[in-house]
């Protein structure tokens, strides 16, 4: 990837970044940055990054986990969680209101709904929880049921297709009916928000311009978004999560 090649921005569309807004589309167009969003499973996004086909990317921390030793990419910003303005996400473990499950350990051998295996709130959260319980996620649960992200996970639990799901707390709180139909039995706080990473092979002037734009960007629709903008890269929190993830996947 050299300076003469067109810059490419690959992002996780599940994170609902407003790339079609006037601010984003104008900036990306002015700087000749091609954009491609990925839906559903983020394994293809990780593969593209491992092949160094992207100049910039916006992705969950678990995608970056597989790039952590790659000298080409560096994180330049952490997303800001719209609900509280921090760079940490709370995820809650919910079961149907009438379930006999009362604590996380009761879910051994049960089915867990997840968005995909790179999702911070639905996959990383239970992986870390199960690690605390002395097990591995694929051994602890009988099945990981793939569903559309967020609301789709709750629908799977309510329909009986899964026994539980970990979901971003503000999504669960958005619909008051969720508190009547489901019950929170555990939570995981301060999960790292998504990262914006840049290729060190990109021209310094372009990297600097992107970093300035990203850190100054604030959505005009903060109340309806998962993430409202960006803050400087929260290295300490991310590195600690990556360390524990290494233990959980060893």
């Amino acid at each position: 990837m050299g300076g003469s090649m067109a810059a490419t921005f690959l992002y996780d569309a599940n994170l609902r970044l407003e790339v079609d807004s006037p601010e984003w589309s104008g900036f990306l167009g002015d700087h000749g940055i091609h954009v491609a969003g990925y839906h559903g499973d983020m394994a293809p996004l990780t593969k593209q990054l491992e092949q160094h086909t992207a100049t910039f990317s916006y992705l969950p921390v678990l995608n970056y986990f597989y790039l952590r030793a790659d000298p080409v990419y560096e994180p330049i910003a952490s997303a800001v969680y719209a609900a509280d303005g921090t760079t940490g996400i709370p995820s809650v473990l919910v079961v149907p209101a009438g379930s006999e499950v009362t604590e996380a350990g009761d879910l051994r051998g049960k089915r867990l709904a997840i968005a995909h295996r790179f999702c911070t709130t639905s996959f990383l959260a239970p992986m870390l929880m199960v690690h605390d319980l002395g097990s591995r996620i694929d051994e602890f649960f009988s099945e990981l049921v793939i569903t559309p992200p967020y609301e789709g996970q709750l629908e799977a639990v309510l329909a009986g297709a899964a026994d539980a799901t970990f979901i971003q707390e503000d999504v669960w709180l958005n619909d008051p009916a969720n508190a009547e139909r489901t019950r929170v039995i555990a939570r995981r706080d301060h999960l790292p928000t998504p990262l914006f990473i840049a290729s060190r092979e990109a021209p310094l002037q372009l990297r600097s311009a992107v970093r300035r734009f990203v850190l100054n960007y604030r959505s005009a629709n903060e109340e309806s978004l998962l993430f409202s903008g960006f803050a400087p890269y929260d290295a300490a929190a991310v590195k600690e999560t990556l360390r524990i993830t290494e233990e959980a996947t060893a």
Side-chain angles (χ1 to χ4, degrees):
M1 183 191 308
S4 61
M5 296 179 65
T8 302
F9 173 42
L10 305 183
Y11 70 99
D12 177 354
N14 300 314
L15 301 176
R16 304 176 184 176
L17 182 66
E18 298 177 304
V19 293
D20 294 326
S21 69
E23 295 87 351
W24 275 95
S25 59
F27 176 83
L28 295 170
D30 289 346
H31 290 80
I33 301 174
H34 173 72
V35 184
Y38 286 72
H39 299 264
D41 185 16
M42 288 301 111
L45 172 58
T46 302
K47 183 176 181 180
Q48 291 298 315
L49 290 164
E50 289 174 338
Q51 295 173 350
H52 300 162
T53 59
T55 318
F56 304 99
S57 186
Y58 178 49
L59 71 181
V61 69
L62 267 182
N63 287 86
Y64 182 66
F65 174 75
Y66 295 97
L67 304 168
R68 64 194 185 283
D70 191 329
V72 169
Y73 291 110
E74 63 173 342
I76 60 175
S78 292
V80 171
Y81 181 45
D84 64 10
T86 71
T87 54
I89 322 170
S91 185
V92 292
L93 177 59
V94 301
V95 297
S99 172
E100 296 181 355
V101 172
T102 59
E103 58 184 32
D106 296 338
L107 288 171
R108 186 181 297 273
K110 303 291 188 181
R111 301 160 301 166
L112 181 76
I114 66 169
H116 55 79
R117 298 180 73 96
F118 295 87
C119 178
T120 302
T121 51
S122 72
F123 185 78
L124 176 61
M127 183 173 70
L128 298 179
M129 177 196 75
V130 168
H131 175 63
D132 290 344
L133 294 173
S135 186
R136 297 169 64 93
I137 190 167
D138 289 301
E139 298 170 354
F140 185 86
F141 295 103
S142 64
E143 182 182 0
L144 298 178
V145 181
I146 306 297
T147 74
Y150 311 117
E151 296 85 358
Q153 298 164 224
L154 285 173
E155 290 172 6
V157 171
L158 293 170
D163 300 296
T165 192
F166 254 109
I167 187 169
Q168 192 161 310
E169 185 176 42
D170 64 317
V171 176
W172 184 78
L173 291 172
N174 276 345
D175 185 352
N178 288 333
E180 301 174 2
R181 300 178 298 178
T182 60
R183 178 165 41 87
V184 175
I185 62 168
R187 61 184 297 121
R188 196 88 191 188
D189 291 308
H190 309 300
L191 295 163
T193 54
L195 304 177
F196 200 103
I197 66 174
S199 169
R200 291 186 173 92
E201 296 180 352
L204 178 59
Q205 184 175 1
L206 178 60
R207 278 187 285 145
S208 298
V210 169
R211 187 176 188 276
R212 283 195 302 273
F213 172 78
V214 166
L215 291 179
N216 287 323
Y217 171 74
R218 286 295 179 273
S219 171
N221 304 308
E222 289 190 20
E223 293 184 359
S224 63
L225 292 179
L226 302 175
F227 305 100
S228 57
F230 294 88
Y233 171 49
D234 190 352
V238 172
K239 289 178 180 178
E240 176 61 12
T241 298
L242 296 182
R243 182 190 68 77
I244 301 173
T245 301
E246 285 184 350
E247 294 179 356
T249 56

